[in-house]
Amino acid sequence: IAGITQAPTSQILAAGRRMTLRCTQDMRHNAMYWYRQDLGLGLRLIHYSNTAGTTGKGEVPDGYSVSRANTDDFPLTLASAVPSQTSVYFCASTASPGTGELFFGEGSRLTVL
Amino acid sequence: QKEVEQNSGPLSVPEGAIASLNCTYSDRGSQSFFWYRQYSGKSPELIMFIYSNGDKEDGRFTAQLNKASQYVSLLIRDSQPSDSATYLCAVNGLDSGYALNFGKGTSLLVTP
């Protein structure tokens, strides 16, 4: 089934540890995004990539980094996790940035203790 | 950061009634508007999109856009208990790679 796969689905992590959330899509979409969703704050954009080889910062990029080596993969790395990064992380992609449907992965629930 | 505002709710309507969900946005340059539905513990899924002023209907759903008032709404006719979810309004941004800016969502509860 075509779509977006995120891993892990859930993770508990000690503060200070490094963590990479994986995201793979098989729809050949050029644009990919990472959002975090927190109760009362909605979905907030962390980083985006409009094409392989390019990335940009969203609303809440601090403490996160991304890479886009190819069209399909868009990993999100927390270099040194802090408790405020406890959240549900959604990876998304679209064929047409700004105008096309945004497809979401199932989410990764991260708890930083 | 451009603002997308929604009432958080919960909005409670009886089964069979019309549910009206509202959203305002701050960026006059926005051109694309979306409504996503999110069930608890699940990822958002697209319900409707609208680009032009006026109404757009799809089954029981109608999206309404008024760019002059910077207002977009979603009407759900003949509401069903299965419509109980959080509804997210999203507007395309003019920065951040045209990524969608989301409102915080309105929780809808349809009671039998």
Side-chain angles (χ1 to χ4, degrees), chain A residues 35 37 40 50 98-99 102 105, chain B residues 32 36 38 43 51 97-98 100 104:
Chain A
Y35 288 89
Q37 188 173 38
N50 278 347
T99 60
L102 202 59
Chain B
S32 306
Y36 283 80
Q38 186 176 25
S43 56
Y51 302 146
Y98 300 99
L100 295 187
K104 295 177 182 178

Side-chain angles (χ1 to χ4, degrees), chain B residues 37-98:
Chain B
R37 178 176 62 199
Q38 186 176 25
Y39 292 113
S40 181
K42 301 297 185 181
S43 56
E45 55 181 341
L46 182 69
I47 297 178
M48 294 280 293
F49 62 89
I50 186 167
Y51 302 146
S52 303
N53 277 330
D55 295 359
K56 179 181 179 182
E57 185 175 321
D58 183 2
R60 295 187 296 113
F61 299 96
T62 298
Q64 299 174 318
L65 175 61
N66 183 326
K67 290 185 179 180
S69 300
Q70 296 176 245
Y71 177 90
V72 58
S73 65
L74 178 70
L75 301 178
I76 306 175
R77 290 181 299 280
D78 189 24
S79 294
Q80 301 297 309
S82 59
D83 294 326
S84 298
T86 297
Y87 289 80
L88 306 173
C89 174
V91 177
N92 78 290
L94 300 184
D95 51 12
S96 297
Y98 300 99

Side-chain angles (χ1 to χ4, degrees), chain A:
Chain A
I1 298 177
I4 297 179
T5 301
Q6 291 186 233
T9 56
S10 181
Q11 182 76 43
I12 298 174
L13 186 67
R17 298 297 295 270
R18 181 183 179 91
M19 178 71 191
T20 295
L21 303 180
R22 300 183 298 277
C23 175
T24 299
Q25 54 106 356
D26 60 4
M27 297 174 283
R28 307 302 293 172
H29 287 168
N30 282 325
M32 297 187 73
Y33 310 88
W34 276 104
Y35 288 89
R36 60 177 288 175
Q37 188 173 38
D38 304 286
L39 194 64
L41 296 177
L43 282 161
R44 293 181 292 167
L45 181 68
I46 304 171
H47 284 286
Y48 67 93
S49 170
N50 278 347
T51 189
T54 68
T55 62
K57 295 181 179 180
E59 179 186 359
V60 288
D62 293 344
Y64 305 95
S65 63
V66 291
S67 62
R68 187 86 184 277
N70 57 61
T71 297
D72 299 341
D73 300 300
F74 191 43
L76 177 73
T77 297
L78 290 67
S80 179
V82 295
S84 62
Q85 293 177 310
T86 294
S87 187
V88 179
Y89 292 86
F90 287 102
C91 181
S93 73
T94 182
S96 302
T99 60
E101 178 178 358
L102 202 59
F103 291 85
F104 285 86
E106 292 301 307
S108 295
R109 181 175 296 276
L110 182 66
T111 302
V112 183
L113 302 177

